[in-house]
Amino acid sequence: MKAVGLFQYLPIDCEESLVDLNVDQPEPGPRDLLIAVKAIAVNPVDTKIRAPKPDAVTETSPRILGWDAAGEVIAVGSAVKNFRTGDQVYYAGDVTRPGCYSEYQLVDERIVGRMPRTLDHPASAALPLTSLTAWEALFDRLGISSAGADAGKSILIIGGAGGVGSIAIQLARSLAKLKVIATASRTKSSIWVKQMGASHVVNHRNPVDEELKDIGIPEVDYILCLADTDQHFPAMASAIKPQGKICCVVDNREPLPLNLLKPKSATFVWEFMFTRSRFETEDMDHQGWILNRIAELVDNETLVTTVGDTVEPINAANLRLAHRQLETGRTIGKIVLAGWN
């Protein structure tokens, strides 16, 4: 089968950073679905794994990245219960297994959802990783009610124009009924987050606590930080309400001054979308449930997909372009690639 992978961890301007391959088609294990990949989306995790590393070794077999895809089930494992061949599905996959930069991929059925009926494969491929991250951050980690029991409370979403932020804004406003303040630093991204449902927009290039004071909202009940954790932590500690909650997704480079949260008895929590699949937690199948719920919300027009750009076909050259764009830090929505040639 065709695939795109790497043997060395290189800067994206090197042609060898991502290369076209022909590899063996995998065979499904007991709980696996074998999926014919029709469309994929790229995410910051792809670029972080691919990037040069001081201690990285040359891979003896190609490493295939990619954790956002939509496609068709063409074979199922002996213990699969919820899917059959011909099903149209979407998923983010498991970071410990080969990714979706390939014509065919194995994915555990517990972390797969049925594709929205109203979307095609490219529009569906833009959703899984960001939707799972946003849902888990808001409702599992921050403990916000998805049924609106926290209606009227406030949330600051730092990095609102990216893939996760675009979904988080919609979920926080439509399901949780929160007052949503999102950050953006450019006119285009400010327009985007307002379209997604943000009531207020502030500039994350300035201290966000000062920005909040300027709009008359000095403290918020919740903060979801999707950008530089180290940069924003002091301002988040200042802006969070007493007994409020902060969730971050970006690794810190330095020890965080968590003592800043003690006077407020504030909560700090991480969100990592691959936790359930990586450790095969007892609630691993909750991700399949989330994806099916997201599909329902898309089909009833509560949520919209967040495709920014779509590129054809799926190959190394186009994936290098997509990685390069993501690394600028100025991407709005999701970059999707579709079709093999």
Side-chain angles (χ1 to χ4, degrees):
M1 65 177 182
K2 293 179 180 178
V4 176
L6 62 83
F7 291 93
Q8 302 177 72
Y9 298 88
L10 300 168
I12 197 58
D13 289 334
C14 297
E15 287 192 8
E16 296 79 13
S17 60
L18 291 168
V19 295
D20 292 306
L21 303 164
N22 277 289
V23 298
D24 293 335
Q25 181 176 312
E27 294 292 331
R31 299 211 66 171
D32 285 337
L33 307 177
L34 178 61
I35 298 167
V37 175
K38 306 295 186 182
I40 66 174
V42 293
N43 292 285
V45 64
D46 303 24
T47 66
K48 291 174 184 177
I49 291 175
R50 190 224 76 245
K53 301 168 181 59
D55 56 349
V57 297
T58 299
E59 302 287 353
T60 55
S61 58
R63 185 167 188 181
I64 298 173
L65 309 180
W67 294 280
D68 246 345
E72 180 177 339
V73 177
I74 62 168
V76 300
S78 59
V80 168
K81 300 176 182 178
N82 299 319
F83 296 91
R84 59 186 178 183
T85 57
D87 285 344
Q88 306 301 309
V89 296
Y90 73 144
Y91 54 91
D94 178 347
V95 76
T96 67
R97 304 183 72 178
C100 63
Y101 294 4
S102 58
E103 282 189 286
Y104 302 95
Q105 184 186 10
L106 295 178
V107 186
D108 189 301
E109 69 163 336
R110 290 172 288 182
I111 56 174
V112 174
R114 298 184 185 279
M115 213 171 81
R117 296 187 310 276
T118 55
L119 298 183
D120 58 12
H121 290 103
S124 296
L127 286 169
L129 186 145
T130 53
S131 297
L132 287 167
T133 302
W135 186 286
E136 290 182 351
L138 294 173
F139 306 131
D140 297 345
R141 313 302 177 216
L142 290 172
I144 299 167
S145 168
S146 62
D150 296 305
K153 292 184 178 180
S154 55
I155 186 169
L156 171 66
I157 299 176
I158 301 175
V164 177
S166 299
I167 295 294
I169 292 169
Q170 296 182 69
L171 291 174
R173 176 155 185 177
S174 298
L175 266 63
K177 310 299 183 185
L178 302 183
K179 178 191 294 183
V180 180
I181 305 104
T183 76
S185 62
R186 295 178 292 138
T187 301
K188 188 175 180 181
S189 53
S190 296
I191 293 170
W192 174 268
V193 298
K194 288 180 181 177
Q195 289 174 341
M196 293 298 103
S199 300
H200 304 275
V201 182
V202 297
N203 191 336
H204 52 244
R205 296 195 184 280
N206 303 320
V208 292
D209 56 338
E210 297 299 327
E211 288 281 301
L212 288 172
K213 291 174 185 176
D214 287 345
I215 63 170
I217 308 174
E219 292 182 318
V220 291
D221 297 284
Y222 308 101
I223 298 175
L224 173 56
C225 183
L226 307 168
D228 190 319
T229 301
D230 296 270
Q231 174 190 339
H232 295 294
F233 192 85
M236 290 192 289
S238 171
I240 196 67
K241 284 184 178 180
Q243 302 184 92
K245 297 180 180 181
I246 299 170
C247 179
C248 293
V249 303
V250 177
D251 291 349
N252 56 302
R253 298 178 299 277
E254 302 292 337
L256 294 176
L258 293 176
N259 58 299
L260 295 178
L261 302 180
K262 183 178 179 180
K264 295 182 176 180
S265 296
T267 298
F268 176 82
V269 64
W270 289 109
E271 159 58 14
F272 184 54
M273 192 225 72
F274 295 112
T275 295
R276 286 181 161 115
S277 57
R278 182 173 184 173
F279 296 100
E280 294 195 42
T281 61
E282 291 182 359
D283 64 349
M284 182 172 164
D285 61 354
H286 185 56
Q287 289 202 333
W289 180 90
I290 293 171
L291 288 172
N292 287 332
R293 180 72 177 117
I294 292 295
E296 292 174 1
L297 293 169
V298 170
D299 289 337
N300 68 24
E301 299 183 347
T302 301
L303 293 181
V304 297
T305 187
T306 55
V307 175
D309 295 300
T310 301
V311 181
E312 296 182 7
I314 304 169
N315 59 27
N318 283 335
L319 275 164
R320 289 195 298 271
L321 289 173
H323 277 231
R324 189 176 296 113
Q325 173 59 34
L326 272 186
E327 289 181 349
T328 68
R330 297 168 66 88
T331 302
I332 297 176
K334 294 294 291 291
I335 304 172
V336 174
L337 291 85
W340 299 87
N341 63 3

